[in-house]
């Protein structure tokens, strides 16, 4: 009886995914929707052939019918830090997104005769727990949710996902561009699946305060137009940021109580550099990284980024704040305080729902108009990704269930997540929904920044504070260390002697 009920639920959810309109469909990340709807009597509305778009195809999962005989899939994530919400919900809450996650897991359990359990970790980064499980031979943990940087730098503790059965990374419920970007020698140690909602929330991009923009003669539609025309560049953002700085309390001191062109943290220096085409490392035709950190292109990009990130007249970052007890809580408060910034770079977290001023969403700017596309990443250390520890008792069964979870999430969870959370509760206009689609369709992780060989990424971040350093001088002093650390990574992966 329960199984029939669940099958009916699945049919309803699949139908709903086809009816949802404007769900922020990223090419790799979300399910399609055709925008059709039934009338109040439940009968199809009469429309002309020209008004009707073909219904999107629901792809088959490619997975066989399987009885897993009570297999328990144990998911390890942090209890309190950077929690990937998309993998588990304890109970029905009445909130559409958590309920869709709960129902998806229930469907998996009934369909494949398995259990899905959550193991909360007290660690900020539970990859440290995995190291202990692997060392002791404990097979408790099947799946880790943690920042990609921490899995990447302990790759010996994780399976190469491409060697496991059942994963089909060519399917749209996996982020293929992301996976292709982070492989080394064809090896993939972590991934992003359609079941990961927090990872989508954590993508860094630009927010702008519409009230402040309008008060200073900046038309929000003009900003959106620049993006659509491929002309949203660092020069444009720098010019706009310069016009809004104001001593709000009139004390003659510019601090966290005043208005700034840009607020954020040192990591923003890196995200802007990445968005403008900076590359710490690129890959050769054998999928092996080659250090490009000190290139002339990177020098030019960083000089332009520093005109904004390093400018004390327009920009305040958390690491430069003084006279406050906690810079991070202060930054969080500033982000949701009306009137204190034109631009803020970070993720579109739930805290923005408290913002009284109206705001819009923009991508990270290009270096110049010749740049072919926009680029974005999430926090390399804090934004969750998925790894399978080598200590997992049955890695192929784990891969089977992750494939199934990603498949059902693509059709049953992501449309609801985009429509009921990201697009409705956080984005405040149709243009921002459009921008979010572009942003989610342009995620890119730089290998050098991910592995942080020789502090590659940290060098860029720290330049926001130390404006006397140059990329050329930093590379000259650390190039040998960078190469040595990269070679060590390749050796650990069995790709070098």
């Amino acid at each position: 009886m329960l199984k029939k009920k669940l099958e009916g639920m699945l049919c309803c959810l699949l139908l709903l995914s086809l009816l949802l309109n404007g769900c922020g469909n990223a090419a790799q990340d979300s399910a399609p929707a055709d925008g059709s709807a039934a009338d109040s009597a439940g009968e199809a509305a009469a429309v002309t052939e020209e008004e009707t778009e073909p219904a999107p195809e629901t792809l088959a999962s490619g997975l066989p019918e399987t009885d897993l005989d009570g297999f328990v899939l144990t998911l390890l994530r942090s209890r309190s830090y950077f929690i990937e919400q998309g993998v588990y919900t304890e109970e029905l809450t009445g909130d559409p997104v958590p309920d869709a996650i709960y129902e998806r897991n229930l469907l998996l359990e009934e369909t494949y005769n398995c259990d899905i359990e959550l193991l909360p970790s007290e660690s900020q980064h539970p990859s440290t727990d995995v190291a202990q499980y692997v060392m002791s031979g404990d097979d408790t943990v099947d799946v880790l949710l943690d920042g990609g940087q921490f899995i990447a730098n302990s790759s010996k503790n994780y399976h190469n996902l491409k060697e496991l059965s059942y994963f089909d990374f060519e399917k749209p419920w996996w982020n293929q561009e992301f996976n292709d970007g982070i492989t080394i020698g064809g090896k993939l140690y972590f991934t992003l699946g359609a079941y990961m909602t927090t990872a989508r929330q954590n993508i860094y991009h630009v927010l702008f305060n519409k009230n402040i923009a309008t008060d200073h003669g900046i038309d929000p539609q003009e900003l959106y137009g620049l993006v659509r025309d491929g002309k949203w560049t660092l020069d444009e953002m720098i010019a706009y940021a310069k016009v809004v700085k104001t001593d709000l309390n009139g004390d003659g001191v510019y601090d966290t109580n005043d208005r700034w062109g840009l607020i954020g943290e040192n990591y923003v220096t890196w995200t802007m550099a990445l968005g403008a085409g900076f590359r710490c490392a690129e890959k050769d035709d054998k999928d092996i990284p080659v250090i490009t950190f000190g290139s002339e292109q990177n020098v030019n990009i960083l000089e332009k980024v520093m005109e904004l990130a390093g400018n004390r007249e327009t920009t305040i970052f958390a690491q430069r704040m003084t006279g406050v007890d906690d810079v991070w809580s202060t930054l969080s408060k500033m982000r949701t305080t009306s009137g204190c910034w034109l631009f803020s770079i970070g993720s579109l977290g739930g805290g923005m729902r408290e913002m009284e001023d109206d705001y819009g969403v923009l991508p990270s700017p290009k270096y110049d108009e010749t740049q072919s596309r926009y680029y974005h990443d999430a926090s390399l250390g804090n934004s969750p990704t998925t790894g399978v520890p080598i200590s997992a008792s049955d890695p192929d069964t784990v891969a089977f269930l992750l494939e199934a979870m990603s498949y059902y999430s693509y059709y049953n969870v992501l449309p609801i997540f985009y429509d009921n959370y990201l697009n409705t509760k956080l984005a405040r206009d149709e243009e921002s929904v459009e921008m979010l689609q572009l942003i989610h369709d342009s995620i890119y992780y730089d290998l050098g920044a991910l592995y942080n060989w020789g502090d590659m990424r940290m060098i860029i971040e720290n330049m926001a504070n130390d404006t006397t350093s140059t990329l050329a001088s930093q590379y000259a002093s650390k190039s040998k260390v960078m190469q040595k650390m990269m070679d060590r990574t390749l050796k650990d992966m069995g790709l070098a002697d």
Side-chain angles (χ1 to χ4, degrees), residues 125-140:
H125 292 290
S127 55
T128 56
D129 302 351
V130 168
Q132 297 301 316
Y133 284 115
V134 169
M135 186 178 298
S136 63
D138 188 331
D139 64 1
T140 300

Side-chain angles (χ1 to χ4, degrees), residues 136-171:
S136 63
D138 188 331
D139 64 1
T140 300
V141 176
D142 298 304
V143 178
L144 170 72
L145 289 309
D146 200 2
Q149 173 186 333
F150 294 95
I151 300 177
N153 283 299
S154 54
S155 58
K156 64 181 180 181
N157 293 329
Y158 301 92
H159 281 283
N160 173 12
L161 301 180
K162 291 199 170 184
E163 291 182 346
L164 300 183
S165 303
Y166 302 113
F167 278 131
D168 187 351
F169 292 119
E170 300 298 315
K171 293 293 176 62

Side-chain angles (χ1 to χ4, degrees), residues 180-216:
D180 290 345
I182 64 169
T183 58
I184 295 182
K187 298 185 177 186
L188 179 69
Y189 293 99
F190 60 95
T191 189
L192 291 179
Y195 51 84
M196 305 186 73
T197 58
T198 300
R200 285 167 172 75
Q201 275 180 248
N202 285 353
I203 299 173
Y204 275 57
H205 55 270
V206 179
L207 297 175
F208 74 97
N209 186 310
K210 287 187 177 181
N211 298 42
I212 302 302
T214 302
D215 289 346
H216 289 79

Side-chain angles (χ1 to χ4, degrees), residues 100 117-118 126 148 199 208 234 252 359 383 397 468 470 475:
E117 294 185 353
L118 180 69
F208 74 97
L234 284 168
Y359 64 83
S383 186
T397 298
T468 62
T470 66
Y475 182 61

Side-chain angles (χ1 to χ4, degrees), residues 4-26:
K4 290 182 179 179
K5 185 176 180 181
L6 284 165
E7 288 172 348
M9 183 190 306
L10 173 59
C11 291
C12 290
L13 284 168
L14 286 172
L15 178 60
L16 177 61
S17 74
L18 301 179
L19 296 177
L20 286 171
N21 185 27
C23 65
N25 173 31

